[in-house]
Amino acid sequence: MNGADTAWIIVATALVLFMTLPGLALFYGGLVRARNVLSVFMQCYAIACLMSILWLAFGYSIAFGPGETGYWGGLDKMFLNGVTADSLSGTLPEVLFFAFQMTFAIITPALIVGAYVERVGFAFVLTFSGLWMLLCYAPVVHWIWGGGIMSDGGIFGETGVRDFAGGIVVHETAGLAALILAIFLGPRKNRHTPPHNPGYVVIGAAMLWVGWFGFNGGSQLAADGGAAMALTVTHISAAAASLSWAFWEKVKYGKASVVGLVTGTIAGLASITPASGFVGPVEALIIGGVAGILCQELVNLVRNKLQIDDTLDVFAVHGVGGIFGTIMIAVFGEGAWVAQLGALAVVGVFTTVVTIALIKIVGAFTSLRVDPETETNGLDISVHGERAYDMTS
C-alpha cells in the first residue's frame, strides 16, 4: 500500500460523490419547473443510495471480479467476499478502490435523470436504474477497465480501447440510455418552461467542475504527475468549452446566457474525461473549444430538429461529449482508431439493446410515465407530498 496514493483516492472518492450529491442534483433541479425540483433531488439522492447497495451486492463483482471469459467478472466478490482492510488493488486498499468505483456507479445512472425529469414514475426510476447499472454499466466497466474483452490483447488486438475516466463507460452509456428513454416517454406537456432557478444551475455546475478533479484526477489511481496532468487538462477543457459555448450563443442569438455558459462547462468536462490521461494542455484547449460548439449544435439538433424531449440535454452534452473525447484520443495519436471506434460501436449497440429491453420489462410491472394530472400539478406534491417553496410560511 502506498500512503500518498491512498490519501489522494480517499479525497477523490469524496469529490466524485460530491458531483452527484449535491452537484448534479442542484444542476438538474434548477433547470426544471419549481413544482418538480424536489422530485429531481429525490431521484438523484435515492439513486445514490440504491446504487451503493447494489454495487456492494453484485456490481463490483460483475465489474472487477476475476471472471475468465472477458465478458463479466462473475459473482465471486459479491458483498465484498474475501476483501478485508488488508486486501490490495495495486497500491490501494481494495475496499478504497471499491468505494471510488462505487461513486462512478452512482453518478452514471444519475446522469440519465436529466432525460426524464418532470414526467417519470418514481418506482420506474429506481427499478430501471438498479437493473441498468447491473446489466449495462457493470459489464461495460469489466470490458474496458476490468481486464475484459476490450482491454489490451482483447478483441481489438494488442492495443485495446483507451478510456481514461469514462467517455465510453460513463458518458456514452448514460447518454444513449437517456436518449432512448426520452423517445419512449414522449415529450412533456409543456416543453418550453424556462429554468425555475438558474442560480441552482450555476452552483451545481460549479460543484460538478470541482468534483470532476476527483473523477478524472482520481482515475490515475495514484498521487503522481499523471494525476496532476489529468486534473490540469480537465480544468483547461472546461474553461475553453464554457467560453466557446457562450461565444457561439452570442453569434447565433445575440446574447450569451449564464445557463449556456455553465452547460458548456459540463460539455467540456464530459469531452475531456476519456482523454484526460493521454493529452496535454494544448490538446485539452482544442477539445474544450470544439466541444462547446459541437454539443450546443447537437442540443439544437435533438431538441428542435428531431423534436426529442431529452429534457436536460443528457445525450447532446454527456453522450456526444464522451463520444467526441473518445475519438479525439485517436486523432491525437494516443489510441488506435479501430479500438476507439470499435468500442464506441459495440458499447453503443449493447447499451441500446439492454436499455430498450429494460424499458419494456420494467414498464410491464410499473408505470413508465405519470398520468397527465400528476404531470400538470408537478411531481413534488403529487408523488412525494411536499413543496420546495412555501410562499405563505
Side-chain angles (χ1 to χ4, degrees):
M1 187 188 78
N2 182 285
D5 295 348
T6 300
W8 163 231
I9 303 305
I10 288 173
V11 173
T13 300
L15 285 171
V16 181
L17 181 60
F18 183 70
M19 291 174 67
T20 305
L21 303 174
L24 189 69
L26 283 168
F27 181 75
Y28 281 172
L31 288 167
V32 300
R33 294 186 299 168
R35 65 191 67 183
N36 290 313
V37 60
L38 290 183
S39 71
V40 175
F41 292 170
M42 182 74 167
Q43 289 161 12
C44 290
Y45 209 103
I47 284 173
C49 296
L50 180 60
M51 295 314 112
S52 300
I53 303 302
L54 292 177
W55 187 251
L56 169 67
F58 308 110
Y60 178 71
S61 187
I62 293 170
F64 293 104
E68 298 179 358
T69 65
Y71 291 96
W72 78 315
L75 298 176
D76 291 348
K77 291 191 175 184
M78 288 192 307
F79 294 96
L80 288 183
N81 179 49
V83 177
T84 69
D86 296 322
S87 302
L88 293 181
S89 176
T91 62
L92 304 172
E94 185 173 3
V95 69
L96 175 59
F97 179 73
F98 157 85
F100 179 67
Q101 292 296 337
M102 178 179 65
T103 59
F104 281 66
I106 287 170
I107 198 169
T108 306
L111 289 174
I112 304 172
V113 167
Y116 53 60
V117 291
E118 301 196 299
R119 64 198 188 280
V120 74
F122 184 59
F124 179 87
V125 169
L126 291 187
T127 308
F128 172 84
S129 297
L131 291 173
W132 186 88
M133 190 277 283
L134 293 175
L135 300 177
C136 184
Y137 173 78
V140 172
V141 172
H142 185 72
W143 298 350
I144 295 176
W145 291 341
I149 58 172
M150 295 185 187
S151 56
D152 292 352
I155 60 174
F156 299 121
E158 183 178 348
T159 302
V161 65
R162 297 289 181 259
D163 182 7
F164 188 71
I168 300 174
V169 174
V170 175
H171 294 289
E172 184 193 14
T173 59
L176 284 173
L179 185 68
I180 294 164
L181 269 166
I183 293 171
F184 271 85
L185 271 169
R188 291 163 292 164
K189 294 177 65 178
N190 187 344
R191 294 181 54 182
H192 305 294
T193 304
H196 93 279
N197 194 330
Y200 277 4
V201 181
V202 174
I203 294 169
M207 291 175 172
L208 284 165
W209 190 337
V210 173
W212 228 290
F213 290 161
F215 197 88
N216 289 356
S219 292
Q220 179 73 4
L221 300 176
D224 60 13
M229 181 59 78
L231 185 152
T232 300
V233 298
T234 297
H235 186 79
I236 295 300
S237 179
S242 302
L243 294 176
S244 67
W245 186 297
F247 168 77
W248 199 238
E249 273 192 333
K250 176 68 175 177
V251 169
K252 294 183 68 176
Y253 309 115
K255 293 181 180 179
S257 68
V258 66
V259 170
L261 179 76
V262 300
T263 304
T265 304
I266 307 306
L269 291 166
S271 298
I272 196 62
T273 290
S276 55
F278 310 111
V279 301
V282 174
E283 292 87 349
L285 191 66
I286 295 170
I287 289 173
V290 173
I293 297 173
L294 173 66
C295 292
Q296 185 178 156
E297 286 302 308
L298 263 293
V299 167
N300 293 329
L301 173 65
V302 172
R303 183 187 297 174
N304 300 322
K305 294 183 179 179
L306 299 180
Q307 291 293 307
I308 298 172
D309 190 15
D310 177 356
T311 313
L312 308 182
D313 307 310
V314 182
F315 173 74
V317 175
H318 292 277
V320 172
I323 291 168
F324 168 64
T326 300
I327 294 171
M328 291 303 289
I329 295 172
V331 170
F332 290 126
E334 298 297 329
W337 278 100
V338 65
Q340 300 306 108
L341 296 179
L344 285 169
V346 172
V347 172
V349 171
F350 177 74
T351 301
T352 300
V353 171
V354 173
T355 301
I356 292 174
L358 288 177
I359 291 172
K360 295 288 189 180
I361 293 170
V362 177
F365 295 95
T366 184
S367 297
L368 171 60
R369 184 165 179 159
V370 298
D371 60 76
E373 182 180 358
T374 297
E375 183 177 347
T376 298
N377 294 334
L379 303 186
D380 290 1
I381 193 67
S382 300
V383 177
H384 304 295
E386 299 171 290
R387 296 186 189 276
Y389 309 102
D390 185 352
M391 305 306 292
T392 63
S393 64

